[in-house]
Amino acid sequence: MSGPEIGALRHRLTIEAPVDQPDGAGGYRRTHQAVARVWAAVHEDAAFSRERDAQGTGRLQRVTMRWRDDLTTAHRLRSGTSILFIRSTFDPTGERRFLVAKTEEFRP
């Protein structure tokens, strides 16, 4: 796999990082702040989605974007009102050209 075809990175996503703010009662409240906008290819991960549908959880998607070394499972991706929680990330070729994130979608 050398990467996506030209034009496949056509979805504009926002990468959001967690920010913990004190809640005044000794704890904190987690919010998310936009840190970058990226172009990505988004595909339903059918093999895992069938398993997840049986469990009643969100739809799983595979998101491919240009390589970044700062994306972790603490981050999330936003597309409009949909939030994609990152479950894992990997480099499909080991060449640091693209990054694939397996995500679970949440729609408020």
Side-chain angles (χ1 to χ4, degrees):
M1 176 177 172
S2 63
E5 296 287 324
I6 290 179
L9 303 178
R10 65 179 176 268
H11 296 92
R12 193 71 163 154
L13 302 178
T14 302
I15 297 174
E16 296 180 338
V19 177
D20 294 333
Q21 299 175 336
D23 66 2
Y28 65 89
R29 186 179 87 115
R30 176 160 284 174
T31 60
H32 287 81
Q33 179 179 9
V35 294
R37 300 236 332 136
V38 297
W39 290 102
V42 180
H43 301 284
E44 185 168 355
D45 202 333
F48 288 104
S49 287
R50 282 191 295 275
E51 178 183 322
R52 290 292 179 135
D53 285 343
Q55 297 174 7
T57 57
R59 185 172 67 161
L60 295 183
Q61 297 185 8
R62 189 180 57 229
V63 177
T64 304
M65 65 187 79
R66 296 208 180 273
W67 174 259
R68 343 178 25 104
D69 61 2
D70 61 344
L71 193 69
T72 69
T73 56
H75 293 84
R76 67 184 191 182
L77 304 171
R78 181 179 294 273
S79 176
T81 59
S82 295
I83 298 170
L84 303 174
F85 292 99
I86 299 171
R87 300 300 181 212
S88 66
T89 62
F90 63 96
D91 180 351
T93 62
E95 298 174 343
R96 293 184 155 207
R97 291 185 61 219
F98 295 98
L99 179 69
V100 176
K102 289 197 173 190
T103 65
E104 185 172 357
E105 182 179 20
F106 172 75
R107 288 186 182 189

